[in-house]
Amino acid sequence: MNESIQKLIKPVLVRWLCKCKWIRHNSDDMNKLWLESDERTGVIEFYDADEYAPEDILELTGYDKKTGKRIYYLHFELHDLSFVLDRLGNFFAFIYGGEQVAVDSGRKEQGKAPVRNVAFCCTSGWTSTHFAEKIQEIFDEKNINIRVHAGDYTEMETIVQENDRVLLAPQIGYMLPDLKRLYGDKIEVVETGDFATQNYGHIVEKLIA
């Protein structure tokens, strides 16, 4: 996307969100917005690009109102408007309806090869390492012979060669079309709801289905 257009994503989003009657904001700080249902509270927070993050960041956090426990978390770069709106839609559905909206991975269901090695990829490898460890624990508990690995997208060529399935974290889901053109249907995106709520069991169910 053209850099000048990309810089418009944040102000356009903030302006749109602040016009929504069901979203609250403090006029002194338009970078932090709130929404709530009977059972959940959501926080939408923007972070400006800096020396560590070259693009603006959007952070989505959901809390259980009774316990105060964080039950949803996702952050990603404001790289593409349609990508951002898709993730916001999932967040709104979670806060108001309690449902997790699936992100189409584009995976073909027919003729799938047996899965023996799976890799999770994110921007730095930190988040994917956590997910890989949790998923591996479930496979081990179920005595399922699948090895789970982690890495960042800069190692994609090697990761694809060494694994039967490669799952992208939602924050880099915008890369899916280009990666599928390069590496085929073994590339997928973890459903936003599963990732944000750390629903490891559902991820495992999809992997072994």
Side-chain angles (χ1 to χ4, degrees), residues 115 118 120 135 139 165 167 203-209:
V115 176
V118 174
F120 285 83
I135 297 299
F139 283 141
R165 192 82 56 80
L167 303 181
I203 296 173
V204 167
E205 289 175 8
K206 294 195 68 178
L207 283 169
I208 63 179

Side-chain angles (χ1 to χ4, degrees), residues 22-184:
W22 39 272
I23 291 182
R24 296 181 288 112
H25 60 86
N26 182 339
S27 58
D28 294 328
D29 182 9
M30 303 300 283
N31 285 322
K32 192 170 185 178
L33 314 172
W34 295 268
L35 60 156
E36 62 180 315
S37 64
D38 292 338
E39 299 180 351
R40 295 169 178 175
T41 299
V43 180
I44 302 170
E45 194 158 7
F46 293 90
Y47 295 91
D48 292 331
D50 56 25
E51 59 182 311
Y52 303 106
E55 297 179 11
D56 294 336
I57 299 289
L58 180 58
E59 183 179 74
L60 307 175
T61 311
Y63 300 92
D64 183 287
K65 293 177 73 172
K66 291 183 179 179
T67 65
K69 181 180 179 181
R70 189 178 76 177
I71 54 177
Y72 187 109
Y73 180 77
L74 186 70
H75 71 275
F76 48 87
E77 296 176 344
L78 299 183
H79 182 81
D80 176 88
L81 183 58
S82 61
F83 167 84
V84 174
L85 292 176
D86 183 79
R87 272 61 189 172
L88 277 172
N90 184 279
F91 183 57
F92 296 155
F94 180 81
I95 296 298
Y96 289 109
E99 298 178 358
Q100 298 178 7
V101 181
V103 177
D104 182 15
S105 67
R107 187 180 76 191
K108 293 182 179 179
E109 296 297 330
Q110 302 296 325
K112 291 184 293 184
V115 176
R116 292 291 177 264
N117 290 279
V118 174
F120 285 83
C121 285
C122 62
T123 50
S124 65
W126 287 99
T127 304
S128 56
T129 296
H130 171 75
F131 265 75
E133 291 174 350
K134 293 296 184 180
I135 297 299
Q136 187 66 70
E137 288 177 8
I138 296 176
F139 283 141
D140 291 344
E141 289 172 1
K142 295 178 176 291
N143 293 316
I144 297 174
N145 186 26
I146 295 179
R147 298 294 95 193
V148 188
H149 314 277
D152 66 76
Y153 69 94
T154 62
E155 306 168 323
M156 187 60 67
E157 185 172 356
T158 300
I159 290 171
V160 170
Q161 291 175 353
E162 296 177 349
N163 292 274
D164 306 305
R165 192 82 56 80
V166 178
L167 303 181
L168 307 178
Q171 54 262 48
I172 58 171
Y174 64 88
M175 297 180 177
L176 181 64
D178 290 337
L179 292 176
K180 286 177 72 69
R181 280 193 290 271
L182 289 171
Y183 304 115

Side-chain angles (χ1 to χ4, degrees), residues 2-14 56 81:
N2 182 281
E3 185 175 348
S4 60
I5 296 177
Q6 190 170 322
K7 287 296 182 183
L8 293 174
I9 294 179
K10 177 185 172 182
V12 168
L13 277 176
V14 171
D56 294 336
L81 183 58

